[in-house]
Amino acid sequence: MTIEQSRPERWVEETVETEAIFDGKVISLQVDTVRLPDGATATREIVRHPGAAAIIALLDGKMLVVEQFRKPLEKFQVEIPAGKLDPGEDPMQAAIRELEEETGYRAKSLKPVSAFYTSPGFADEKLYLYFTDELEPGAMELDDDEFLAVEAITFEQAEHYLREEKISDAKTILAIYAWRIFRLTGEI
């Protein structure tokens, strides 16, 4: 293989055909037939997701988290507040909305932390992560099918939850590392 052949831009997979499999409330699933760089074809199972927003919210030096049962994992998880974007919704507005709906607190200001794809091997979900330590009381308003408990945890509790795998999702793990940096430097 020459250097010219090893360039990633030459590895683009051209979509030959798309078959819609499922169109649900949160995701859709499609199977694409693609032409590979060498001319062969392959299939790609792709989950389409509207994107999501999450927020690291500190209240009196503690991080607001929610605990809820996660059916795909068959266990309870502790996570930072988050939720999917509504069609055309600005991610920052979604983070503000989700924080208040899930915790009963409203962010006075937000600072962007990061945006990342959760599972690019099979899904296009992009998650936008924000930070605030400026909160005021708001109104908790859970969805009809949402059952969760809100807790404000210390950094030590967060580390303990990590070790127990009570926290094991990427966005919350990233939030804890960002919180660690904030504790050390005062910057996020």
Side-chain angles (χ1 to χ4, degrees):
M1 181 181 293
T2 68
I3 292 173
E4 194 62 30
Q5 291 170 321
S6 68
R7 291 205 172 144
E9 60 269 12
R10 298 200 181 276
W11 301 336
V12 172
E13 297 178 354
E14 174 192 347
T15 303
V16 175
E17 180 183 12
T18 298
E19 179 185 359
I21 304 296
F22 173 78
D23 190 21
K25 186 172 107 174
V26 177
I27 63 156
S28 63
L29 173 64
Q30 68 190 51
V31 176
D32 284 4
T33 302
V34 298
R35 186 166 327 286
L36 301 174
D38 65 1
T41 59
T43 58
R44 301 290 186 243
E45 298 167 353
I46 301 171
V47 174
R48 298 288 182 196
H49 187 282
I55 186 164
I56 304 164
L58 300 184
L59 177 66
D60 300 325
K62 296 180 179 181
M63 186 167 68
L64 291 178
V65 293
V66 297
E67 185 173 13
Q68 60 190 316
F69 187 77
R70 291 302 199 180
K71 183 64 179 164
L73 307 179
E74 291 291 341
K75 68 177 190 171
F76 284 91
Q77 281 283 205
V78 173
E79 302 173 19
I80 59 174
K84 75 176 184 64
L85 303 178
D86 291 333
E89 186 176 26
D90 175 77
M92 187 176 284
Q93 292 306 311
I96 291 168
R97 174 181 50 78
E98 286 293 333
L99 176 67
E100 186 171 6
E101 285 177 4
E102 292 186 358
T103 70
Y105 285 93
R106 189 177 310 115
K108 293 182 191 177
S109 68
L110 284 185
K111 182 174 185 175
V113 175
S114 184
F116 56 93
Y117 292 97
T118 59
S119 298
F122 66 88
D124 68 351
E125 177 187 17
K126 187 173 187 178
L127 191 136
Y128 299 84
L129 181 61
Y130 297 92
F131 171 85
T132 187
D133 59 356
E134 297 178 19
L135 299 170
E136 61 188 9
M140 188 174 187
E141 195 173 314
L142 299 176
D143 294 337
D144 292 339
D145 63 350
E146 200 169 29
F147 300 89
L148 53 83
V150 180
E151 185 179 1
I153 61 173
T154 65
F155 188 78
E156 293 72 27
Q157 284 174 294
E159 288 182 318
H160 181 73
Y161 286 172
L162 273 171
R163 286 190 300 276
E164 287 184 327
E165 292 188 17
K166 203 170 178 181
I167 290 176
S168 60
D169 68 296
K171 71 181 179 306
T172 307
I173 292 170
L174 180 59
I176 292 168
Y177 290 131
W179 187 15
R180 176 179 289 146
I181 291 168
F182 180 72
R183 288 167 42 97
L184 293 171
T185 68
E187 298 290 324
I188 199 88

